[in-house]
Amino acid sequence: MIKIKYTRYDLKTKRKDNVIFFIILIMILILSFLIGSIFFKLFIKDSSMLKTEGKTIETKVNDKNINNKSETSKESKVNKTSFKYVAIQGGMFGNETGVEKTKSQLSSYGNPFVINDDKYKRVFLGIYTEEGSKAVINTLNNNKVSNSTMKFEIKVNNLCDMEISEILNGYVQILGKLSEKNVKAIQTEDFKNWCKSLETVDEKSQNIKILNELKSKVAKLPNELSNDKAAENYTFIYSILQKMK
């Protein structure tokens, strides 16, 4: 009798192998999808964003219409702007005794200066921006030092007026620093260089003479301004503010 040999298959093992195969296949498909999505975001999407940004930058630089709109809005803003300054006064006197007494009292808080006003003399502590004057006035009031204020407002209608105001802002800040205790001098070179770098103004501007006078004064300032020169510089600023009324 011939015995027939046959191969026996384990059906349970085969089914398990098929399940594992399908799981691996599904995982491969999922990973392929994820990798494809990441590739798209990193290279395709970001690349288009860069192109868009490039166009935007090019438009800002080259589009004359946009530049004109920007200038127009700047001019519109200038027309609605004003700068306010405050001269803090210690008193007004017809005799030297009152002047000297008040100057002596105010010298503890800054570098007072005197302005001749007809038959009288006004003694001022300093000139400040409107915001900067508040702290000084509070200090004087807290120490029961008599004071009053004289206010100036520069209405900015054009670039010339704007530059006058900005230079005055820097000027009064420098002089304000000289009023601080233990400050004997202050460097002005940066301020002078900044004034030189300002944009050229139309010579037909109404206040062009005042601007040129102001720039000339700043250019002649010593590179190191000592506090004993504060009074004469305050007097100059006062004269500029009077002319701008």
Side-chain angles (χ1 to χ4, degrees), residues 1-62:
M1 180 181 288
I2 299 174
K3 292 182 179 180
I4 299 173
K5 293 182 180 180
Y6 61 91
T7 304
R8 184 179 178 181
Y9 291 94
D10 190 341
L11 296 177
K12 291 183 179 180
T13 303
K14 188 174 182 180
R15 287 174 183 170
K16 287 181 180 178
D17 290 341
N18 288 339
V19 171
I20 293 171
F21 173 77
F22 281 116
I23 291 172
I24 292 172
L25 183 62
I26 291 169
M27 289 178 68
I28 291 171
L29 290 172
I30 292 171
L31 286 172
S32 298
F33 175 78
L34 290 174
I35 291 170
S37 298
I38 293 171
F39 178 84
F40 175 80
K41 287 181 180 179
L42 288 177
F43 295 94
I44 306 300
K45 189 176 180 181
D46 286 353
S47 177
S48 64
M49 188 180 292
L50 286 172
K51 288 179 182 178
T52 303
E53 287 177 353
K55 288 179 181 177
T56 303
I57 292 170
E58 187 175 324
T59 302
K60 286 182 180 178
V61 174
N62 298 326

Short mmCIF file of all heavy atoms in Angstrom, two decimals, residues 1-62:
data_model
loop_
_atom_site.label_atom_id
_atom_site.label_comp_id
_atom_site.label_asym_id
_atom_site.label_seq_id
_atom_site.Cartn_x
_atom_site.Cartn_y
_atom_site.Cartn_z
N MET A 1 0.87 -1.18 0.00
CA MET A 1 0.00 0.00 0.00
C MET A 1 0.90 1.22 0.00
O MET A 1 1.83 1.31 0.78
CB MET A 1 -0.89 0.01 1.23
CG MET A 1 -1.82 1.22 1.28
SD MET A 1 -2.84 1.24 2.75
CE MET A 1 -3.96 -0.10 2.33
N ILE A 2 0.52 2.04 -0.88
CA ILE A 2 1.31 3.29 -0.98
C ILE A 2 0.65 4.35 -0.12
O ILE A 2 -0.54 4.65 -0.22
CB ILE A 2 1.37 3.77 -2.44
CG1 ILE A 2 2.05 2.71 -3.30
CG2 ILE A 2 2.13 5.09 -2.52
CD1 ILE A 2 2.03 2.99 -4.76
N LYS A 3 1.46 4.92 0.74
CA LYS A 3 0.95 5.99 1.61
C LYS A 3 1.16 7.33 0.93
O LYS A 3 2.25 7.62 0.43
CB LYS A 3 1.68 5.99 2.94
CG LYS A 3 1.35 4.76 3.78
CD LYS A 3 2.06 4.86 5.10
CE LYS A 3 1.72 3.65 5.98
NZ LYS A 3 2.40 3.72 7.27
N ILE A 4 0.14 8.07 0.89
CA ILE A 4 0.21 9.39 0.26
C ILE A 4 0.54 10.44 1.33
O ILE A 4 -0.13 10.55 2.36
CB ILE A 4 -1.13 9.75 -0.42
CG1 ILE A 4 -1.42 8.72 -1.51
CG2 ILE A 4 -1.07 11.15 -0.98
CD1 ILE A 4 -2.79 8.90 -2.13
N LYS A 5 1.63 11.13 1.04
CA LYS A 5 2.02 12.19 1.98
C LYS A 5 1.32 13.50 1.60
O LYS A 5 1.17 13.81 0.43
CB LYS A 5 3.53 12.41 1.93
CG LYS A 5 4.30 11.22 2.46
CD LYS A 5 5.77 11.53 2.42
CE LYS A 5 6.59 10.33 2.96
NZ LYS A 5 8.02 10.59 2.95
N TYR A 6 0.95 14.28 2.51
CA TYR A 6 0.31 15.57 2.22
C TYR A 6 0.77 16.60 3.24
O TYR A 6 1.18 16.24 4.34
CB TYR A 6 -1.23 15.44 2.25
CG TYR A 6 -1.80 15.01 3.56
CD1 TYR A 6 -2.19 15.95 4.51
CD2 TYR A 6 -1.95 13.64 3.88
CE1 TYR A 6 -2.72 15.54 5.73
CE2 TYR A 6 -2.46 13.25 5.08
CZ TYR A 6 -2.86 14.21 6.01
OH TYR A 6 -3.36 13.81 7.23
N THR A 7 0.68 17.79 2.82
CA THR A 7 1.11 18.89 3.71
C THR A 7 -0.08 19.39 4.48
O THR A 7 -1.14 19.69 3.92
CB THR A 7 1.71 20.06 2.89
OG1 THR A 7 2.78 19.54 2.11
CG2 THR A 7 2.19 21.17 3.78
N ARG A 8 0.09 19.54 5.73
CA ARG A 8 -1.00 20.01 6.61
C ARG A 8 -0.85 21.50 6.85
O ARG A 8 0.19 21.99 7.24
CB ARG A 8 -0.96 19.24 7.92
CG ARG A 8 -2.12 19.61 8.85
CD ARG A 8 -2.03 18.82 10.11
NE ARG A 8 -3.09 19.21 11.03
CZ ARG A 8 -3.25 18.68 12.23
NH1 ARG A 8 -2.41 17.74 12.66
NH2 ARG A 8 -4.23 19.07 13.01
N TYR A 9 -1.90 22.22 6.57
CA TYR A 9 -1.88 23.68 6.79
C TYR A 9 -2.55 24.02 8.10
O TYR A 9 -3.62 23.50 8.40
CB TYR A 9 -2.61 24.40 5.64
CG TYR A 9 -1.84 24.31 4.34
CD1 TYR A 9 -2.12 23.30 3.42
CD2 TYR A 9 -0.85 25.22 4.03
CE1 TYR A 9 -1.43 23.21 2.23
CE2 TYR A 9 -0.15 25.14 2.83
CZ TYR A 9 -0.46 24.13 1.95
OH TYR A 9 0.24 24.05 0.77
N ASP A 10 -1.93 24.96 8.80
CA ASP A 10 -2.55 25.46 10.05
C ASP A 10 -3.34 26.71 9.69
O ASP A 10 -2.80 27.81 9.53
CB ASP A 10 -1.46 25.77 11.06
CG ASP A 10 -2.06 26.06 12.44
OD1 ASP A 10 -3.27 26.36 12.51
OD2 ASP A 10 -1.30 26.01 13.42
N LEU A 11 -4.67 26.53 9.49
CA LEU A 11 -5.51 27.65 9.05
C LEU A 11 -5.53 28.80 10.04
O LEU A 11 -5.61 29.96 9.67
CB LEU A 11 -6.94 27.15 8.82
CG LEU A 11 -7.09 26.11 7.69
CD1 LEU A 11 -8.53 25.64 7.61
CD2 LEU A 11 -6.65 26.71 6.37
N LYS A 12 -5.45 28.56 11.30
CA LYS A 12 -5.47 29.62 12.33
C LYS A 12 -4.26 30.54 12.19
O LYS A 12 -4.36 31.76 12.25
CB LYS A 12 -5.49 29.00 13.72
CG LYS A 12 -6.80 28.30 14.04
CD LYS A 12 -6.77 27.78 15.45
CE LYS A 12 -8.10 27.07 15.82
NZ LYS A 12 -8.07 26.55 17.18
N THR A 13 -3.09 29.91 11.95
CA THR A 13 -1.85 30.70 11.80
C THR A 13 -1.92 31.57 10.56
O THR A 13 -1.53 32.75 10.55
CB THR A 13 -0.63 29.78 11.72
OG1 THR A 13 -0.59 28.97 12.88
CG2 THR A 13 0.66 30.59 11.60
N LYS A 14 -2.48 31.01 9.48
CA LYS A 14 -2.57 31.76 8.23
C LYS A 14 -3.47 32.97 8.37
O LYS A 14 -3.18 34.05 7.86
CB LYS A 14 -3.09 30.83 7.13
CG LYS A 14 -3.04 31.45 5.74
CD LYS A 14 -3.44 30.44 4.70
CE LYS A 14 -3.34 31.06 3.30
NZ LYS A 14 -3.72 30.11 2.25
N ARG A 15 -4.57 32.79 9.06
CA ARG A 15 -5.48 33.92 9.27
C ARG A 15 -4.82 35.03 10.08
O ARG A 15 -4.99 36.23 9.81
CB ARG A 15 -6.74 33.44 10.00
CG ARG A 15 -7.66 32.62 9.11
CD ARG A 15 -8.79 32.07 9.90
NE ARG A 15 -9.64 31.22 9.06
CZ ARG A 15 -10.62 30.44 9.53
NH1 ARG A 15 -10.85 30.40 10.83
NH2 ARG A 15 -11.35 29.71 8.69
N LYS A 16 -4.05 34.64 11.07
CA LYS A 16 -3.35 35.64 11.89
C LYS A 16 -2.36 36.44 11.04
O LYS A 16 -2.24 37.66 11.16
CB LYS A 16 -2.61 34.97 13.03
CG LYS A 16 -3.54 34.46 14.14
CD LYS A 16 -2.74 33.84 15.26
CE LYS A 16 -3.66 33.31 16.37
NZ LYS A 16 -2.90 32.67 17.45
N ASP A 17 -1.66 35.73 10.15
CA ASP A 17 -0.67 36.40 9.28
C ASP A 17 -1.36 37.40 8.36
O ASP A 17 -0.85 38.50 8.09
CB ASP A 17 0.09 35.36 8.45
CG ASP A 17 1.03 34.52 9.31
OD1 ASP A 17 1.33 34.98 10.42
OD2 ASP A 17 1.44 33.44 8.85
N ASN A 18 -2.54 37.04 7.85
CA ASN A 18 -3.28 37.94 6.97
C ASN A 18 -3.70 39.21 7.68
O ASN A 18 -3.63 40.32 7.14
CB ASN A 18 -4.51 37.23 6.40
CG ASN A 18 -4.13 36.17 5.38
OD1 ASN A 18 -3.04 36.22 4.81
ND2 ASN A 18 -5.02 35.21 5.15
N VAL A 19 -4.16 39.07 8.92
CA VAL A 19 -4.60 40.24 9.71
C VAL A 19 -3.42 41.19 9.94
O VAL A 19 -3.53 42.40 9.79
CB VAL A 19 -5.21 39.79 11.06
CG1 VAL A 19 -5.44 41.00 11.95
CG2 VAL A 19 -6.50 39.04 10.81
N ILE A 20 -2.28 40.63 10.31
CA ILE A 20 -1.07 41.44 10.56
C ILE A 20 -0.66 42.17 9.29
O ILE A 20 -0.29 43.35 9.30
CB ILE A 20 0.08 40.56 11.07
CG1 ILE A 20 -0.27 40.02 12.47
CG2 ILE A 20 1.39 41.35 11.12
CD1 ILE A 20 0.69 38.98 12.99
N PHE A 21 -0.74 41.46 8.14
CA PHE A 21 -0.37 42.05 6.86
C PHE A 21 -1.25 43.26 6.54
O PHE A 21 -0.76 44.32 6.14
CB PHE A 21 -0.50 41.00 5.76
CG PHE A 21 -0.30 41.56 4.37
CD1 PHE A 21 0.97 41.86 3.90
CD2 PHE A 21 -1.41 41.80 3.55
CE1 PHE A 21 1.13 42.38 2.62
CE2 PHE A 21 -1.23 42.32 2.28
CZ PHE A 21 0.04 42.61 1.82
N PHE A 22 -2.56 43.10 6.75
CA PHE A 22 -3.49 44.20 6.47
C PHE A 22 -3.25 45.39 7.41
O PHE A 22 -3.35 46.54 7.01
CB PHE A 22 -4.94 43.72 6.57
CG PHE A 22 -5.41 42.96 5.36
CD1 PHE A 22 -5.77 41.62 5.45
CD2 PHE A 22 -5.45 43.58 4.11
CE1 PHE A 22 -6.18 40.91 4.33
CE2 PHE A 22 -5.88 42.88 2.98
CZ PHE A 22 -6.24 41.53 3.09
N ILE A 23 -2.97 45.11 8.65
CA ILE A 23 -2.70 46.20 9.62
C ILE A 23 -1.47 47.00 9.18
O ILE A 23 -1.45 48.23 9.19
CB ILE A 23 -2.51 45.63 11.03
CG1 ILE A 23 -3.84 45.10 11.57
CG2 ILE A 23 -1.96 46.72 11.98
CD1 ILE A 23 -3.72 44.35 12.88
N ILE A 24 -0.42 46.26 8.80
CA ILE A 24 0.82 46.92 8.35
C ILE A 24 0.56 47.76 7.10
O ILE A 24 1.03 48.89 6.97
CB ILE A 24 1.92 45.88 8.06
CG1 ILE A 24 2.36 45.22 9.37
CG2 ILE A 24 3.13 46.53 7.36
CD1 ILE A 24 3.30 44.05 9.20
N LEU A 25 -0.26 47.19 6.17
CA LEU A 25 -0.58 47.91 4.94
C LEU A 25 -1.32 49.20 5.23
O LEU A 25 -1.01 50.27 4.65
CB LEU A 25 -1.43 47.01 4.03
CG LEU A 25 -1.80 47.61 2.66
CD1 LEU A 25 -0.53 47.90 1.84
CD2 LEU A 25 -2.72 46.65 1.91
N ILE A 26 -2.28 49.16 6.15
CA ILE A 26 -3.06 50.35 6.52
C ILE A 26 -2.15 51.41 7.16
O ILE A 26 -2.25 52.61 6.87
CB ILE A 26 -4.20 49.99 7.47
CG1 ILE A 26 -5.27 49.16 6.71
CG2 ILE A 26 -4.85 51.23 8.08
CD1 ILE A 26 -6.30 48.53 7.59
N MET A 27 -1.24 50.94 8.03
CA MET A 27 -0.31 51.86 8.69
C MET A 27 0.58 52.57 7.67
O MET A 27 0.87 53.75 7.78
CB MET A 27 0.54 51.11 9.71
CG MET A 27 -0.25 50.67 10.95
SD MET A 27 0.77 49.75 12.11
CE MET A 27 1.87 51.04 12.66
N ILE A 28 1.02 51.80 6.66
CA ILE A 28 1.87 52.40 5.61
C ILE A 28 1.11 53.47 4.85
O ILE A 28 1.63 54.55 4.55
CB ILE A 28 2.37 51.30 4.65
CG1 ILE A 28 3.38 50.40 5.37
CG2 ILE A 28 3.01 51.92 3.40
CD1 ILE A 28 3.79 49.17 4.58
N LEU A 29 -0.17 53.18 4.54
CA LEU A 29 -0.98 54.15 3.81
C LEU A 29 -1.19 55.43 4.63
O LEU A 29 -1.13 56.54 4.11
CB LEU A 29 -2.34 53.52 3.46
CG LEU A 29 -2.30 52.42 2.39
CD1 LEU A 29 -3.67 51.75 2.28
CD2 LEU A 29 -1.88 52.99 1.05
N ILE A 30 -1.45 55.26 5.94
CA ILE A 30 -1.66 56.42 6.82
C ILE A 30 -0.39 57.27 6.91
O ILE A 30 -0.43 58.51 6.81
CB ILE A 30 -2.09 55.96 8.24
CG1 ILE A 30 -3.49 55.36 8.17
CG2 ILE A 30 -2.07 57.13 9.22
CD1 ILE A 30 -3.92 54.69 9.47
N LEU A 31 0.76 56.59 7.09
CA LEU A 31 2.02 57.32 7.18
C LEU A 31 2.32 58.05 5.88
O LEU A 31 2.82 59.18 5.89
CB LEU A 31 3.16 56.34 7.51
CG LEU A 31 3.21 55.82 8.95
CD1 LEU A 31 4.26 54.72 9.09
CD2 LEU A 31 3.52 56.97 9.91
N SER A 32 2.01 57.43 4.76
CA SER A 32 2.24 58.07 3.46
C SER A 32 1.42 59.34 3.33
O SER A 32 1.88 60.37 2.83
CB SER A 32 1.87 57.10 2.33
OG SER A 32 2.69 55.96 2.38
N PHE A 33 0.17 59.27 3.80
CA PHE A 33 -0.71 60.44 3.75
C PHE A 33 -0.18 61.58 4.62
O PHE A 33 -0.15 62.74 4.22
CB PHE A 33 -2.12 60.03 4.21
CG PHE A 33 -3.06 61.18 4.31
CD1 PHE A 33 -3.66 61.72 3.17
CD2 PHE A 33 -3.36 61.75 5.55
CE1 PHE A 33 -4.53 62.79 3.27
CE2 PHE A 33 -4.22 62.82 5.65
CZ PHE A 33 -4.81 63.34 4.51
N LEU A 34 0.26 61.20 5.85
CA LEU A 34 0.78 62.22 6.78
C LEU A 34 2.04 62.88 6.23
O LEU A 34 2.21 64.10 6.29
CB LEU A 34 1.08 61.59 8.14
CG LEU A 34 -0.14 61.16 8.96
CD1 LEU A 34 0.29 60.43 10.22
CD2 LEU A 34 -1.00 62.37 9.33
N ILE A 35 2.95 62.06 5.70
CA ILE A 35 4.20 62.60 5.14
C ILE A 35 3.91 63.52 3.97
O ILE A 35 4.51 64.59 3.81
CB ILE A 35 5.14 61.45 4.71
CG1 ILE A 35 5.64 60.71 5.95
CG2 ILE A 35 6.32 61.99 3.90
CD1 ILE A 35 6.38 59.43 5.65
N GLY A 36 2.94 63.13 3.13
CA GLY A 36 2.56 63.96 1.99
C GLY A 36 1.99 65.29 2.43
O GLY A 36 2.28 66.34 1.85
N SER A 37 1.18 65.29 3.50
CA SER A 37 0.58 66.53 4.02
C SER A 37 1.64 67.47 4.56
O SER A 37 1.62 68.68 4.32
CB SER A 37 -0.43 66.20 5.13
OG SER A 37 -1.47 65.41 4.61
N ILE A 38 2.59 66.89 5.31
CA ILE A 38 3.67 67.70 5.89
C ILE A 38 4.51 68.32 4.78
O ILE A 38 4.89 69.49 4.82
CB ILE A 38 4.55 66.84 6.82
CG1 ILE A 38 3.73 66.41 8.06
CG2 ILE A 38 5.81 67.60 7.24
CD1 ILE A 38 4.43 65.40 8.93
N PHE A 39 4.83 67.52 3.77
CA PHE A 39 5.61 68.02 2.63
C PHE A 39 4.90 69.19 1.95
O PHE A 39 5.51 70.20 1.61
CB PHE A 39 5.82 66.87 1.64
CG PHE A 39 6.58 67.28 0.40
CD1 PHE A 39 7.96 67.32 0.39
CD2 PHE A 39 5.90 67.64 -0.76
CE1 PHE A 39 8.66 67.70 -0.74
CE2 PHE A 39 6.59 68.03 -1.89
CZ PHE A 39 7.97 68.06 -1.88
N PHE A 40 3.60 69.05 1.78
CA PHE A 40 2.81 70.11 1.13
C PHE A 40 2.86 71.40 1.93
O PHE A 40 3.07 72.49 1.39
CB PHE A 40 1.37 69.64 0.98
CG PHE A 40 0.46 70.70 0.43
CD1 PHE A 40 0.41 70.96 -0.94
CD2 PHE A 40 -0.35 71.44 1.28
CE1 PHE A 40 -0.42 71.94 -1.44
CE2 PHE A 40 -1.18 72.43 0.78
CZ PHE A 40 -1.21 72.67 -0.59
N LYS A 41 2.69 71.29 3.24
CA LYS A 41 2.67 72.49 4.09
C LYS A 41 4.02 73.19 4.11
O LYS A 41 4.11 74.40 4.06
CB LYS A 41 2.26 72.11 5.52
CG LYS A 41 0.79 71.76 5.64
CD LYS A 41 0.44 71.42 7.08
CE LYS A 41 -1.04 71.09 7.20
NZ LYS A 41 -1.42 70.72 8.60
N LEU A 42 5.08 72.39 4.24
CA LEU A 42 6.41 72.98 4.39
C LEU A 42 6.93 73.59 3.10
O LEU A 42 7.55 74.64 3.10
CB LEU A 42 7.41 71.92 4.88
CG LEU A 42 7.25 71.48 6.34
CD1 LEU A 42 8.25 70.38 6.66
CD2 LEU A 42 7.44 72.66 7.29
N PHE A 43 6.68 72.95 1.97
CA PHE A 43 7.31 73.38 0.73
C PHE A 43 6.36 74.08 -0.23
O PHE A 43 6.69 75.12 -0.77
CB PHE A 43 7.96 72.17 0.04
CG PHE A 43 9.08 71.57 0.83
CD1 PHE A 43 8.86 70.51 1.68
CD2 PHE A 43 10.36 72.10 0.76
CE1 PHE A 43 9.90 69.96 2.43
CE2 PHE A 43 11.40 71.56 1.51
CZ PHE A 43 11.17 70.50 2.35
N ILE A 44 5.20 73.55 -0.41
CA ILE A 44 4.27 74.15 -1.36
C ILE A 44 3.60 75.38 -0.79
O ILE A 44 3.65 76.46 -1.34
CB ILE A 44 3.19 73.12 -1.80
CG1 ILE A 44 3.86 71.83 -2.31
CG2 ILE A 44 2.29 73.73 -2.86
CD1 ILE A 44 4.76 72.03 -3.50
N LYS A 45 3.02 75.25 0.40
CA LYS A 45 2.27 76.36 1.00
C LYS A 45 3.18 77.52 1.36
O LYS A 45 2.90 78.68 1.07
CB LYS A 45 1.53 75.87 2.25
CG LYS A 45 0.56 76.89 2.80
CD LYS A 45 -0.20 76.29 3.96
CE LYS A 45 -1.19 77.31 4.54
NZ LYS A 45 -1.93 76.75 5.67
N ASP A 46 4.32 77.25 2.03
CA ASP A 46 5.23 78.31 2.42
C ASP A 46 5.82 79.01 1.21
O ASP A 46 6.08 80.20 1.23
CB ASP A 46 6.36 77.74 3.30
CG ASP A 46 5.85 77.42 4.69
OD1 ASP A 46 4.69 77.75 4.97
OD2 ASP A 46 6.60 76.81 5.47
N SER A 47 6.05 78.24 0.13
CA SER A 47 6.60 78.84 -1.07
C SER A 47 5.65 79.87 -1.66
O SER A 47 6.05 80.96 -2.04
CB SER A 47 6.88 77.73 -2.09
OG SER A 47 7.36 78.28 -3.28
N SER A 48 4.37 79.58 -1.69
CA SER A 48 3.40 80.52 -2.23
C SER A 48 3.28 81.74 -1.33
O SER A 48 3.07 82.85 -1.79
CB SER A 48 2.03 79.84 -2.38
OG SER A 48 1.54 79.45 -1.12
N MET A 49 3.45 81.55 -0.02
CA MET A 49 3.37 82.67 0.92
C MET A 49 4.53 83.63 0.68
O MET A 49 4.36 84.85 0.71
CB MET A 49 3.43 82.14 2.36
CG MET A 49 3.17 83.22 3.41
SD MET A 49 3.24 82.56 5.07
CE MET A 49 1.81 81.51 5.07
N LEU A 50 5.70 83.09 0.41
CA LEU A 50 6.86 83.94 0.15
C LEU A 50 6.66 84.76 -1.10
O LEU A 50 7.02 85.92 -1.16
CB LEU A 50 8.12 83.07 0.02
CG LEU A 50 8.67 82.49 1.32
CD1 LEU A 50 9.78 81.51 1.02
CD2 LEU A 50 9.16 83.59 2.24
N LYS A 51 6.08 84.18 -2.10
CA LYS A 51 5.83 84.90 -3.35
C LYS A 51 4.86 86.05 -3.10
O LYS A 51 5.03 87.14 -3.61
CB LYS A 51 5.26 83.94 -4.40
CG LYS A 51 6.28 82.97 -4.96
CD LYS A 51 5.64 82.05 -5.98
CE LYS A 51 6.66 81.03 -6.50
NZ LYS A 51 6.04 80.09 -7.45
N THR A 52 3.84 85.77 -2.30
CA THR A 52 2.86 86.82 -1.98
C THR A 52 3.51 87.97 -1.23
O THR A 52 3.30 89.13 -1.52
CB THR A 52 1.72 86.23 -1.13
OG1 THR A 52 1.14 85.15 -1.83
CG2 THR A 52 0.66 87.28 -0.84
N GLU A 53 4.34 87.62 -0.24
CA GLU A 53 5.03 88.66 0.53
C GLU A 53 5.95 89.46 -0.36
O GLU A 53 6.09 90.66 -0.23
CB GLU A 53 5.82 88.02 1.67
CG GLU A 53 4.92 87.50 2.79
CD GLU A 53 5.72 86.80 3.86
OE1 GLU A 53 6.94 86.61 3.67
OE2 GLU A 53 5.13 86.43 4.88
N GLY A 54 6.60 88.78 -1.30
CA GLY A 54 7.49 89.47 -2.23
C GLY A 54 6.75 90.50 -3.04
O GLY A 54 7.21 91.62 -3.24
N LYS A 55 5.56 90.14 -3.52
CA LYS A 55 4.75 91.07 -4.30
C LYS A 55 4.34 92.26 -3.46
O LYS A 55 4.33 93.39 -3.90
CB LYS A 55 3.52 90.35 -4.84
CG LYS A 55 3.81 89.37 -5.95
CD LYS A 55 2.54 88.68 -6.41
CE LYS A 55 2.85 87.67 -7.51
NZ LYS A 55 1.63 86.93 -7.91
N THR A 56 4.01 92.01 -2.20
CA THR A 56 3.57 93.09 -1.31
C THR A 56 4.69 94.10 -1.09
O THR A 56 4.50 95.29 -1.18
CB THR A 56 3.13 92.51 0.06
OG1 THR A 56 2.11 91.56 -0.16
CG2 THR A 56 2.62 93.62 0.96
N ILE A 57 5.88 93.57 -0.83
CA ILE A 57 7.03 94.45 -0.59
C ILE A 57 7.33 95.27 -1.85
O ILE A 57 7.56 96.47 -1.79
CB ILE A 57 8.26 93.61 -0.20
CG1 ILE A 57 8.04 92.98 1.18
CG2 ILE A 57 9.52 94.47 -0.19
CD1 ILE A 57 9.08 91.96 1.56
N GLU A 58 7.27 94.62 -3.00
CA GLU A 58 7.55 95.30 -4.27
C GLU A 58 6.53 96.40 -4.53
O GLU A 58 6.87 97.49 -4.98
CB GLU A 58 7.51 94.27 -5.41
CG GLU A 58 7.95 94.84 -6.74
CD GLU A 58 8.01 93.78 -7.80
OE1 GLU A 58 8.38 92.64 -7.48
OE2 GLU A 58 7.67 94.09 -8.95
N THR A 59 5.29 96.15 -4.17
CA THR A 59 4.24 97.15 -4.37
C THR A 59 4.49 98.37 -3.50
O THR A 59 4.35 99.50 -3.94
CB THR A 59 2.86 96.54 -4.01
OG1 THR A 59 2.65 95.41 -4.83
CG2 THR A 59 1.77 97.55 -4.24
N LYS A 60 4.91 98.14 -2.26
CA LYS A 60 5.15 99.26 -1.34
C LYS A 60 6.29 100.15 -1.84
O LYS A 60 6.26 101.35 -1.68
CB LYS A 60 5.48 98.73 0.06
CG LYS A 60 4.28 98.17 0.79
CD LYS A 60 4.67 97.70 2.17
CE LYS A 60 3.48 97.15 2.92
NZ LYS A 60 3.85 96.64 4.24
N VAL A 61 7.27 99.52 -2.43
CA VAL A 61 8.44 100.28 -2.88
C VAL A 61 8.18 101.00 -4.20
O VAL A 61 8.54 102.15 -4.37
CB VAL A 61 9.65 99.33 -3.03
CG1 VAL A 61 10.83 100.07 -3.65
CG2 VAL A 61 10.03 98.78 -1.67
N ASN A 62 7.51 100.29 -5.14
CA ASN A 62 7.41 100.81 -6.50
C ASN A 62 6.10 101.49 -6.85
O ASN A 62 6.03 102.22 -7.82
CB ASN A 62 7.63 99.66 -7.49
CG ASN A 62 9.02 99.07 -7.35
OD1 ASN A 62 9.95 99.80 -7.05
ND2 ASN A 62 9.15 97.77 -7.54
#
